[in-house]
Amino acid sequence: MKILVVEDDADLAQALSSALRDQFMVVDVASSLREASELAFAGTYDILVVDRGLPDGDGLSLIEQLRHVHDHTPALVLTAMSDVVERVRSLDYGADDYLAKPFSRDELMARLRALARRPAVRAQQFSSAGDLSLDHDVRQVSVRDEQLILPRRELLVLEALLLSKGRTVHRQRLLERVYGEGEDIHANSLDSHVSRLRVKLEHARAGVEIHAVRGVGYLLRVTPGLDQE
Ligand code: CA
């Protein structure tokens, strides 16, 4: 799950992004409308969290511009203005939900989970292949009901591959899912996440294999002979 946080209050942006990263999400932060639209129009986010009071305008105008070009990425608006008129205005501009400041971390997470369950983002709560299953809501991986604990980036790689099982996922797409904008990507780090993940899946006898497609990316498929589909 990749989230764009648009918030000019540096402390709040920092608190939000670390809370989201704790939940295994990839987070980019923009502190102005201008920066936010550059990132948002590049279009790889699952959810936008948008503050209204930004130095160069109202965050609602970003949502309005996106909706204008039929980009329906779910957007949660943050604002200090909590009256009904402003709430309605946010929804009229195409926001999907609204949270008044100050808000609790738990409430934010609950709202984001609700947005993530929308069909535009993800159709199902569980994905599975072979003896492996992933609960996207709680981000838990299991092999035959036994939990498999994975570090964040390995889980993000696995999630992306599992959602496209049987199909090759391009390297660039995987990198976008696993790293935030401007994050330091070490040479071959994607490959090392994949190889550690492979070892763990094999060790757990998960019944799936990750194949490298030379020059293109990776693909996950059910180990031949175990295919029950
Ligand atoms: Ca603000």
Side-chain angles (χ1 to χ4, degrees), residues 6 27 40 49 83 117 120 135 137 144 147 161 174 193:
V6 185
V27 185
V49 176
D83 61 63
R117 275 194 295 269
D135 181 332
D137 275 7
R144 291 176 302 274
Q147 199 182 340
L161 292 174
L174 278 175
H193 294 312

PDB file of all heavy atoms in Angstrom, residues 6 27 40 49 83 117 120 135 137 144 147 161 174 193:
ATOM      1  N   VAL A   6       0.068  14.729   2.139  1.00  0.00           N
ATOM      2  CA  VAL A   6       0.265  16.128   1.761  1.00  0.00           C
ATOM      3  C   VAL A   6       0.000  16.964   3.011  1.00  0.00           C
ATOM      4  O   VAL A   6      -1.156  17.109   3.432  1.00  0.00           O
ATOM      5  CB  VAL A   6      -0.698  16.544   0.621  1.00  0.00           C
ATOM      6  CG1 VAL A   6      -0.376  17.966   0.162  1.00  0.00           C
ATOM      7  CG2 VAL A   6      -0.620  15.561  -0.529  1.00  0.00           C
ATOM      8  N   VAL A  27       5.390   5.419   2.177  1.00  0.00           N
ATOM      9  CA  VAL A  27       4.847   6.778   2.311  1.00  0.00           C
ATOM     10  C   VAL A  27       5.738   7.801   1.619  1.00  0.00           C
ATOM     11  O   VAL A  27       6.948   7.812   1.813  1.00  0.00           O
ATOM     12  CB  VAL A  27       4.753   7.167   3.808  1.00  0.00           C
ATOM     13  CG1 VAL A  27       4.079   8.519   3.958  1.00  0.00           C
ATOM     14  CG2 VAL A  27       3.991   6.110   4.591  1.00  0.00           C
ATOM     15  N   ALA A  40       1.318  13.292  -7.254  1.00  0.00           N
ATOM     16  CA  ALA A  40       0.014  12.637  -7.422  1.00  0.00           C
ATOM     17  C   ALA A  40      -0.274  12.344  -8.894  1.00  0.00           C
ATOM     18  O   ALA A  40      -0.826  11.298  -9.224  1.00  0.00           O
ATOM     19  CB  ALA A  40      -1.092  13.493  -6.823  1.00  0.00           C
ATOM     20  N   VAL A  49      -3.589  11.330   1.547  1.00  0.00           N
ATOM     21  CA  VAL A  49      -4.005  11.971   2.798  1.00  0.00           C
ATOM     22  C   VAL A  49      -3.643  13.439   2.628  1.00  0.00           C
ATOM     23  O   VAL A  49      -2.469  13.782   2.471  1.00  0.00           O
ATOM     24  CB  VAL A  49      -3.260  11.363   4.012  1.00  0.00           C
ATOM     25  CG1 VAL A  49      -3.630  12.115   5.288  1.00  0.00           C
ATOM     26  CG2 VAL A  49      -3.600   9.882   4.157  1.00  0.00           C
ATOM     27  N   ASP A  83     -16.530  22.084  10.878  1.00  0.00           N
ATOM     28  CA  ASP A  83     -17.990  22.231  10.796  1.00  0.00           C
ATOM     29  C   ASP A  83     -18.570  21.508   9.581  1.00  0.00           C
ATOM     30  O   ASP A  83     -17.862  21.102   8.666  1.00  0.00           O
ATOM     31  CB  ASP A  83     -18.403  23.704  10.843  1.00  0.00           C
ATOM     32  CG  ASP A  83     -17.840  24.494   9.687  1.00  0.00           C
ATOM     33  OD1 ASP A  83     -18.199  24.180   8.540  1.00  0.00           O
ATOM     34  OD2 ASP A  83     -17.019  25.388   9.937  1.00  0.00           O
ATOM     35  N   ARG A 117     -10.267  -0.759   1.532  1.00  0.00           N
ATOM     36  CA  ARG A 117     -11.160  -1.877   1.196  1.00  0.00           C
ATOM     37  C   ARG A 117     -12.054  -1.561   0.002  1.00  0.00           C
ATOM     38  O   ARG A 117     -12.759  -2.425  -0.484  1.00  0.00           O
ATOM     39  CB  ARG A 117     -12.024  -2.245   2.400  1.00  0.00           C
ATOM     40  CG  ARG A 117     -11.316  -3.202   3.347  1.00  0.00           C
ATOM     41  CD  ARG A 117     -12.280  -3.825   4.325  1.00  0.00           C
ATOM     42  NE  ARG A 117     -12.863  -2.845   5.227  1.00  0.00           N
ATOM     43  CZ  ARG A 117     -12.333  -2.521   6.407  1.00  0.00           C
ATOM     44  NH1 ARG A 117     -11.227  -3.092   6.819  1.00  0.00           N
ATOM     45  NH2 ARG A 117     -12.922  -1.623   7.163  1.00  0.00           N
ATOM     46  N   ALA A 120     -11.999   0.117  -5.804  1.00  0.00           N
ATOM     47  CA  ALA A 120     -11.037   0.787  -6.681  1.00  0.00           C
ATOM     48  C   ALA A 120      -9.610   0.500  -6.239  1.00  0.00           C
ATOM     49  O   ALA A 120      -8.683   0.551  -7.030  1.00  0.00           O
ATOM     50  CB  ALA A 120     -11.281   2.286  -6.685  1.00  0.00           C
ATOM     51  N   ASP A 135      -3.259 -11.804   4.362  1.00  0.00           N
ATOM     52  CA  ASP A 135      -4.408 -10.998   4.778  1.00  0.00           C
ATOM     53  C   ASP A 135      -3.981  -9.537   4.632  1.00  0.00           C
ATOM     54  O   ASP A 135      -3.147  -9.047   5.388  1.00  0.00           O
ATOM     55  CB  ASP A 135      -4.755 -11.331   6.235  1.00  0.00           C
ATOM     56  CG  ASP A 135      -5.956 -10.538   6.742  1.00  0.00           C
ATOM     57  OD1 ASP A 135      -6.187  -9.420   6.245  1.00  0.00           O
ATOM     58  OD2 ASP A 135      -6.654 -11.038   7.646  1.00  0.00           O
ATOM     59  N   ASP A 137      -5.565  -6.785   5.129  1.00  0.00           N
ATOM     60  CA  ASP A 137      -6.017  -5.842   6.166  1.00  0.00           C
ATOM     61  C   ASP A 137      -5.021  -5.770   7.321  1.00  0.00           C
ATOM     62  O   ASP A 137      -4.665  -4.699   7.766  1.00  0.00           O
ATOM     63  CB  ASP A 137      -7.388  -6.246   6.713  1.00  0.00           C
ATOM     64  CG  ASP A 137      -8.511  -5.708   5.838  1.00  0.00           C
ATOM     65  OD1 ASP A 137      -8.186  -5.150   4.768  1.00  0.00           O
ATOM     66  OD2 ASP A 137      -9.679  -5.855   6.213  1.00  0.00           O
ATOM     67  N   ARG A 144      -0.164 -22.480   5.494  1.00  0.00           N
ATOM     68  CA  ARG A 144      -1.022 -23.468   6.170  1.00  0.00           C
ATOM     69  C   ARG A 144      -1.348 -23.028   7.602  1.00  0.00           C
ATOM     70  O   ARG A 144      -1.098 -23.747   8.566  1.00  0.00           O
ATOM     71  CB  ARG A 144      -0.350 -24.852   6.200  1.00  0.00           C
ATOM     72  CG  ARG A 144      -0.240 -25.522   4.833  1.00  0.00           C
ATOM     73  CD  ARG A 144       0.512 -26.823   4.933  1.00  0.00           C
ATOM     74  NE  ARG A 144       1.837 -26.630   5.488  1.00  0.00           N
ATOM     75  CZ  ARG A 144       2.911 -26.303   4.767  1.00  0.00           C
ATOM     76  NH1 ARG A 144       2.817 -26.163   3.467  1.00  0.00           N
ATOM     77  NH2 ARG A 144       4.058 -26.117   5.359  1.00  0.00           N
ATOM     78  N   GLN A 147       1.803 -18.544  10.944  1.00  0.00           N
ATOM     79  CA  GLN A 147       2.218 -17.206  10.555  1.00  0.00           C
ATOM     80  C   GLN A 147       3.683 -17.161  10.110  1.00  0.00           C
ATOM     81  O   GLN A 147       4.541 -17.793  10.717  1.00  0.00           O
ATOM     82  CB  GLN A 147       2.010 -16.241  11.722  1.00  0.00           C
ATOM     83  CG  GLN A 147       1.985 -14.791  11.246  1.00  0.00           C
ATOM     84  CD  GLN A 147       1.840 -13.805  12.388  1.00  0.00           C
ATOM     85  OE1 GLN A 147       1.400 -14.175  13.474  1.00  0.00           O
ATOM     86  NE2 GLN A 147       2.208 -12.568  12.138  1.00  0.00           N
ATOM     87  N   LEU A 161       3.786  -9.251  -5.781  1.00  0.00           N
ATOM     88  CA  LEU A 161       3.888 -10.430  -6.647  1.00  0.00           C
ATOM     89  C   LEU A 161       2.641 -11.305  -6.542  1.00  0.00           C
ATOM     90  O   LEU A 161       2.148 -11.849  -7.524  1.00  0.00           O
ATOM     91  CB  LEU A 161       5.125 -11.254  -6.275  1.00  0.00           C
ATOM     92  CG  LEU A 161       6.477 -10.610  -6.580  1.00  0.00           C
ATOM     93  CD1 LEU A 161       7.609 -11.470  -6.032  1.00  0.00           C
ATOM     94  CD2 LEU A 161       6.651 -10.403  -8.082  1.00  0.00           C
ATOM     95  N   LEU A 174       7.778  -2.860  -9.061  1.00  0.00           N
ATOM     96  CA  LEU A 174       8.138  -3.380  -7.734  1.00  0.00           C
ATOM     97  C   LEU A 174       8.869  -2.317  -6.916  1.00  0.00           C
ATOM     98  O   LEU A 174       8.584  -2.134  -5.733  1.00  0.00           O
ATOM     99  CB  LEU A 174       9.025  -4.618  -7.859  1.00  0.00           C
ATOM    100  CG  LEU A 174       8.317  -5.941  -8.121  1.00  0.00           C
ATOM    101  CD1 LEU A 174       9.342  -7.047  -8.346  1.00  0.00           C
ATOM    102  CD2 LEU A 174       7.391  -6.318  -6.967  1.00  0.00           C
ATOM    103  N   HIS A 193      16.167  -8.451  -1.478  1.00  0.00           N
ATOM    104  CA  HIS A 193      14.889  -8.721  -0.792  1.00  0.00           C
ATOM    105  C   HIS A 193      14.246  -9.973  -1.384  1.00  0.00           C
ATOM    106  O   HIS A 193      13.750 -10.831  -0.661  1.00  0.00           O
ATOM    107  CB  HIS A 193      13.908  -7.554  -0.954  1.00  0.00           C
ATOM    108  CG  HIS A 193      14.359  -6.310  -0.271  1.00  0.00           C
ATOM    109  ND1 HIS A 193      14.816  -6.297   1.024  1.00  0.00           N
ATOM    110  CD2 HIS A 193      14.416  -5.031  -0.692  1.00  0.00           C
ATOM    111  CE1 HIS A 193      15.146  -5.068   1.358  1.00  0.00           C
ATOM    112  NE2 HIS A 193      14.928  -4.275   0.340  1.00  0.00           N
TER     113      HIS A 193
END
